[in-house]
Amino acid sequence: MRVLVLGAGVTGVATAWYLCQAGHTVTVVDRRSGPGLETSFANGCQISPCHAEPWAKPSILPKIFEWLGREDAPLLFRWGRFDPALWRWCVDFLGNCRSSRAALNTERTLRIALYSRRCLQALRAEIGIEYDQKTLGILHVYRKSKDFEHACRVAGLMNRFGLQRQEKSPQDCIALEPALTEVETQLAGGIYTPGDESGDVYRFTHTLAKLAAHRGVQFLYDTTIQALRRDSDRLVGIESSRGFLAAEATVLAAGSYSPILARSVGVRLPIVPAKGYSITIPVRLGDCAPTVSLTDDAFKMVYSRLGDRLRVAGTAEMSGYDTTLPERRWRLLVERARALLPRAGDYSQAEPWTGLRPVTPDSVPLLGETPLSGLFLNTGHGTLGWTMACGSGRVIADLISQRTPEIDVVGLGIERFRYRLERPPPLR
């Protein structure tokens, strides 16, 4: 079958890999000059089923009010513009801020995240791909007792869903990661997830794309996707800067830009972009940088060691498709990283980056078929795109190949939002 994959980030490249393995003729289309140059370029680099707790939960509501108007807030809403899509998303988000919905969405996210972690491990064993990976687990650290107590309850829920998480005292945290020694007195405790991993997502994406091309996948870079083309209730291809590209199946894996493309054929996706920031700092001989991947819950920041570099990422900013890089925002990462890990590396040489993450109101990705025949979704992974990439790609390849996926996909598709196929907007 001729299949188009729209987007050459880690999700799109992993999808193309598994489709090729299944025997399909695959073409990947991306507007950038190579793979992994947008959200997959410099993110937090954690493979983290431990982050499966959704944003939408009862405990987030008082925090949102606390963060209003604060430029240093971990979650920042910029309301200075009229954005109907964001307002609709917020209504759906509030509808998911219930304990029962949070538990359901945790299970759904964890289902695909755990499966994806297994797929990544199998792929690594099969082809020997290297990407500065570390398999030392992820340690969440908490500064307030109430936050730690809440985390312990969530960890118990995740343990029941199959993810091994362990409660740790401040002393245990230091034993696991000595780089935290200077902040031991500030810690209330930690949660350690030994099966989680970290690794350079860009290096992985770039290498896997080369291997996929060697096996026959065609990559069309520097190619703008102008619109999807629909014939009645079936998608037949795309209009691009290279002309019309026909396909029997098309996978929409364009991250935050997926809703824009989907609207061209009457499919409305409940996804908004959440802007995130990162810095990469060099680690020199004698520096005290962590080797275990860390998550600082107070500031929603993550730390991943990538060889002689330390990646620090965090914050979420609802500001539409703005990709500017204001210094005051990424400098916050430098200040907070230096406070937690003062001797981790050369902070004066921090390289900043920003990218847009596609977030659904319930933090569960959109996987599978749509009301439009021939159009498949692999998007909406939020901050867990790297975590879910291999599993999501494998699921989509199975569905297109008319094979039963290895995990239950109920609750992972667009049908949970009860959106109907609309009349496409007129061509201009």
Side-chain angles (χ1 to χ4, degrees):
M1 183 182 294
R2 290 177 300 163
V3 184
L4 286 176
V5 177
L6 310 184
V10 65
T11 301
V13 169
T15 303
W17 173 267
Y18 287 108
L19 284 165
C20 178
Q21 293 294 92
H24 299 285
T25 301
V26 185
T27 300
V28 180
V29 184
D30 197 282
R31 64 177 180 167
R32 301 298 294 266
S33 60
L37 292 177
E38 295 215 4
T39 306
S40 300
F41 185 70
N43 64 25
C45 287
Q46 290 185 334
I47 296 95
S48 51
C50 61
H51 285 290
E53 185 184 15
W55 288 10
K57 53 193 174 185
S59 63
I60 196 66
L61 297 177
K63 290 183 178 180
I64 288 177
F65 287 108
E66 177 187 338
W67 293 333
L68 285 175
R70 284 177 45 186
E71 278 293 323
D72 64 346
L75 178 58
L76 178 63
F77 286 84
R78 297 200 183 278
W79 300 106
R81 59 196 175 80
F82 179 64
D83 187 343
L86 179 58
W87 285 103
R88 282 193 298 268
W89 185 93
C90 287
V91 170
D92 284 342
F93 178 87
L94 291 173
N96 278 281
C97 287
R98 293 175 285 149
S99 297
S100 59
R101 295 295 304 179
L104 176 64
N105 294 330
T106 297
E107 185 281 324
R108 288 172 172 174
T109 303
L110 202 52
R111 192 192 320 159
I112 184 64
L114 283 172
Y115 175 62
S116 188
R117 194 177 68 184
R118 294 194 300 271
C119 289
L120 173 61
Q121 292 166 350
L123 180 62
R124 189 168 63 228
E126 176 190 354
I127 63 176
I129 190 170
E130 294 287 336
Y131 47 94
D132 287 322
Q133 64 266 26
K134 287 192 176 297
T135 57
L136 301 175
I138 292 176
L139 175 64
H140 278 68
V141 293
Y142 302 87
R143 301 165 191 263
K144 296 181 179 179
S145 295
K146 66 176 183 178
D147 292 336
F148 180 49
E149 291 166 3
H150 171 78
C152 290
R153 292 193 295 272
V154 174
L157 177 67
M158 291 185 177
N159 277 321
R160 292 197 296 274
F161 291 147
L163 178 66
Q164 183 187 3
R165 306 200 72 193
Q166 304 168 356
E167 298 177 24
K168 298 293 181 182
S169 69
Q171 296 74 30
D172 293 332
C173 293
I174 303 307
L176 270 170
E177 182 43 75
L180 294 168
T181 298
E182 295 186 47
V183 295
E184 180 179 355
T185 58
Q186 302 175 27
L187 302 181
I191 305 289
Y192 179 55
T193 314
D196 282 356
E197 305 181 4
S198 62
D200 189 335
V201 60
Y202 173 73
R203 185 177 173 191
F204 174 89
T205 305
H206 191 268
T207 302
L208 190 63
K210 288 177 64 176
L211 293 171
H214 182 71
R215 299 195 181 193
V217 175
Q218 182 182 21
F219 286 86
L220 299 181
Y221 298 122
D222 296 309
T223 303
T224 302
I225 303 166
Q226 298 163 339
L228 311 186
R229 183 188 284 186
R230 163 181 170 181
D231 183 5
S232 186
D233 289 338
R234 180 168 185 81
L235 193 76
V236 294
I238 67 168
E239 297 291 348
S240 78
S241 55
R242 296 176 183 257
F244 176 67
L245 301 175
E248 297 165 88
T250 299
V251 182
L252 187 52
S256 295
Y257 297 92
S258 299
I260 298 173
L261 295 174
R263 277 202 302 270
S264 67
V265 286
V267 176
R268 188 180 297 277
L269 302 183
I271 291 173
V272 296
K275 187 177 183 180
Y277 296 85
S278 79
I279 56 172
T280 305
I281 65 173
V283 176
R284 305 158 301 188
L285 184 65
D287 287 334
C288 188
T291 53
V292 174
S293 190
L294 302 173
T295 298
D296 184 350
D297 183 76
F299 299 118
K300 312 303 180 191
M301 288 173 54
V302 303
Y303 300 78
S304 296
R305 181 72 172 270
L306 307 172
D308 60 358
R309 299 166 295 148
L310 180 66
R311 176 69 47 75
V312 182
T315 75
E317 183 177 315
M318 300 305 204
S319 53
Y321 288 88
D322 172 35
T323 56
T324 58
L325 189 57
E327 185 172 355
R328 67 183 182 277
R329 290 293 283 174
W330 67 263
R331 285 289 180 190
L332 283 172
L333 300 185
V334 175
E335 294 170 12
R336 289 167 176 169
R338 184 183 279 121
L340 183 71
L341 302 165
R343 296 184 293 117
D346 186 355
Y347 288 102
S348 69
Q349 299 298 314
E351 297 180 8
W353 172 86
T354 189
L356 303 178
R357 300 166 295 191
V359 182
T360 62
D362 56 7
S363 298
V364 181
L366 294 172
L367 300 181
E369 301 177 74
T370 68
L372 189 61
S373 178
L375 176 61
F376 293 79
L377 301 177
N378 193 359
T379 188
H381 299 83
T383 59
L384 298 182
W386 180 202
T387 299
M388 298 181 176
C390 288
S392 298
R394 178 66 184 270
V395 165
I396 294 299
D398 285 341
L399 291 173
I400 289 176
S401 304
Q402 298 186 331
R403 300 187 304 233
T404 301
E406 295 177 328
I407 61 168
D408 185 0
V409 296
V410 172
L412 303 181
I414 187 64
E415 67 279 354
R416 70 182 186 270
F417 291 101
R418 300 179 182 176
Y419 285 116
R420 295 178 298 178
L421 188 61
E422 301 174 355
R423 184 184 298 276
L427 295 175
R428 295 181 179 179

